[in-house]
Amino acid sequence: MTSPRTHLEVRAVFDEHARYVWRALRHLGIPEADVEDLCQEVFVVVQRKLAEFEGRSELRTWLYGICLRVAADHRRRAHVRNERPHPDPTEGLAASPGMRPDARAEARSALQALLAELDDDKRVVLVLYELEGLTMKEVAAAVGCPLQTAYSRLHAARDRLTALVEARRSNGGTP
Amino acid sequence: MSAEDPIRFRDAGSSGSDELRALFQAGTDDLPSDAELAALAAKLGPVLTGAGGAAAGAGMAAKTKLGLAALGVAGTGVLAWALLSGREAPAPAMPAATAVQLRTAPTVTPSGANEPPAVLAPNEAPTPAGPPAPSETAPSAAPRAVAPPFRPAESEAEFLERARGALGQSPAAALSLANQHRARFPAGVLAEEREVIAIEALKRLGRTAEAEQRVEAFARRFPGSAYRKKLEAGAGR
């Protein structure tokens, strides 16, 4: 049984971070229908492990580390079930700032499709840095890899995305 | 951010194209709605309160994947959102009697150790389960409060859904139920949702000053709550 203080902390962690856990899971390739379930899995782990969290890293780094493991487990299960979607990675790239709400939804969908084109190890680094706003040092800690490895993965992911967008433009897409 | 960290795609001055900037800006804004977060909190009930310890958490995800919590608890997940957005929450997916058998949230924990001191309006006293205190009844001009029958096996989520459902016909009854919630579910996880209902009931009863005081108390107690901004906006703050 965990202590009442821990209980309050779990709620506090939820209030402060749940929306970002949710967003990160979306961008880590979790299907929309499964995001809520995986958020629950993340906070179940948080409840079990929070008392062991020693503060040697930032809380959000620790939390994103849990997200990565939960998402990786889910992908493995989905792979066994052969459920991986294959969206068009260049669909919806015409979206631009100041867009209408439906255009913004299209942009989000297009981003998901682009991210799906990345290898998992590069995607994870890109999502934590570009979308979740971690520093690269925090990214390396969350992923559990050397900092230079994290930089290499980030640059590779950025190059790949840039190439995909350029390919769209070359093929007559509407940027 | 270290000097070696590149400018993010979403930020001005990055090496990425305008298209990439737009996509990553949209992705950064891709956060769950208040309703989605409230539903998640409701489903996590024992996990957030610690009721039942780790064992409760261990079975939580599996239970909700079976849709058990979704039937009885998710309805409450959207109730506060429905209040804040001015829309009616959707009807429960199943009759309450069925949902009761499927609930995942705990009912009453005797100790109540997990519940911080109550948030009360100045003229309200802590209310044990039972008849509402006089200060919670409606003024003479308002519809008369009619407390729905006691349901011993009712879950926390169902209890608050009943309170929300009473808002339209009898805000006084809704307020009474909201104020009973604390005593009925001392280890409950839906204190924020209870306060949202109570505040809305006070507003509908014309007890604006009390509603504003309760909003202030809410902001102090739940500074990070997803409901806070909308409640404060509704109170004209």
Side-chain angles (χ1 to χ4, degrees):
Chain A
M1 177 82 70
T2 47
S3 69
R5 180 170 177 270
T6 301
H7 303 159
L8 292 175
E9 287 176 349
V10 174
R11 178 74 206 211
V13 171
F14 179 89
D15 286 342
E16 186 171 353
H17 296 284
R19 65 184 63 239
Y20 306 111
V21 166
W22 188 296
R23 179 178 65 185
L25 290 172
R26 272 178 176 162
H27 291 123
L28 290 171
I30 304 306
E32 190 72 30
D34 296 336
V35 168
E36 187 184 78
D37 281 347
L38 263 68
C39 277
Q40 291 183 59
E41 288 188 24
V42 167
F43 282 98
V44 167
V45 174
V46 168
Q47 184 216 27
R48 285 204 304 261
K49 301 286 188 183
L50 189 56
E52 301 169 20
F53 174 65
E54 296 173 346
R56 285 183 295 189
S57 63
E58 291 286 335
L59 178 63
R60 67 173 182 166
T61 306
W62 179 76
L63 199 52
Y64 282 124
I66 295 172
C67 288
L68 299 185
R69 286 189 289 278
V70 167
D73 287 345
H74 180 84
R75 280 196 296 270
R76 274 194 290 274
R77 293 195 299 266
H79 179 73
V80 169
R81 296 192 301 266
N82 195 26
E83 291 177 352
R84 188 168 184 269
H86 297 278
D88 174 0
T90 58
E91 188 176 348
L93 287 186
S96 60
M99 49 194 137
R100 292 168 288 110
D102 55 341
R104 188 163 287 273
E106 288 175 11
R108 290 170 180 166
S109 176
L111 177 63
Q112 296 281 9
L114 282 172
L115 294 175
E117 288 297 300
L118 300 176
D119 296 336
D120 287 341
D121 58 348
K122 298 177 182 64
R123 174 184 189 144
V124 162
V125 170
L126 184 94
V127 166
L128 294 185
Y129 180 72
E130 296 283 358
L131 291 163
E132 298 307 318
L134 271 63
T135 66
M136 284 304 292
K137 188 176 176 184
E138 291 173 326
V139 171
V143 173
C145 71
L147 180 58
Q148 285 308 316
T149 303
Y151 276 122
S152 298
R153 291 175 183 174
L154 176 66
H155 292 310
R158 287 166 63 107
D159 289 347
R160 174 77 173 132
L161 290 189
T162 300
L164 282 168
V165 173
E166 288 297 324
R168 163 80 175 187
R169 187 179 288 152
S170 301
N171 292 334
T174 312
Chain B
M1 189 162 124
S2 108
E4 293 184 67
D5 290 3
I7 299 174
R8 292 184 173 86
F9 276 151
R10 69 182 187 229
D11 294 331
S14 84
S15 60
S17 64
D18 289 344
E19 298 97 299
L20 280 168
R21 182 176 307 124
L23 292 175
F24 276 87
Q25 285 173 345
T28 304
D29 293 341
D30 193 8
L31 294 165
S33 67
D34 289 347
E36 288 171 320
L37 279 182
L40 175 62
K43 290 178 181 178
L44 277 166
V47 173
L48 296 184
T49 61
M60 177 59 62
K63 286 180 183 176
T64 54
K65 281 178 180 172
L66 292 172
L68 306 185
L71 297 171
V73 181
T76 300
V78 298
L79 67 87
W81 161 80
L83 290 169
L84 291 166
S85 65
R87 287 193 265 167
E88 291 297 324
M94 294 181 68
T98 305
V100 164
Q101 300 168 7
L102 303 175
R103 72 181 186 276
T104 58
T107 51
V108 177
T109 300
S111 69
N114 296 330
E115 179 77 352
V119 178
L120 294 174
N123 64 341
E124 291 176 323
T127 310
S135 63
E136 295 165 355
T137 55
S140 57
R144 187 178 172 188
V146 180
F150 177 67
R151 302 176 187 185
E154 193 173 39
S155 74
E156 181 187 12
E158 291 160 352
F159 184 87
L160 284 179
E161 175 61 23
R162 191 152 58 93
R164 187 204 64 81
L167 275 170
Q169 293 294 318
S170 175
L175 178 61
S176 174
L177 285 168
N179 287 336
Q180 290 175 45
H181 167 269
R182 188 182 309 108
R184 289 278 299 275
F185 302 96
V189 68
L190 301 176
E192 293 175 44
E193 286 74 14
R194 172 194 68 216
E195 289 305 304
V196 171
I197 293 170
I199 290 164
E200 177 64 20
L202 286 167
K203 286 165 64 177
R204 293 191 186 197
L205 289 168
R207 294 158 66 176
T208 308
E210 291 173 66
E212 290 177 355
Q213 288 170 347
R214 206 143 174 169
V215 170
E216 289 174 4
F218 183 97
R220 285 194 301 272
R221 183 175 168 191
F222 305 111
S225 170
Y227 306 126
R228 182 183 166 189
K229 283 186 180 177
K230 289 179 182 175
L231 285 174
E232 290 180 337
R237 296 172 61 196

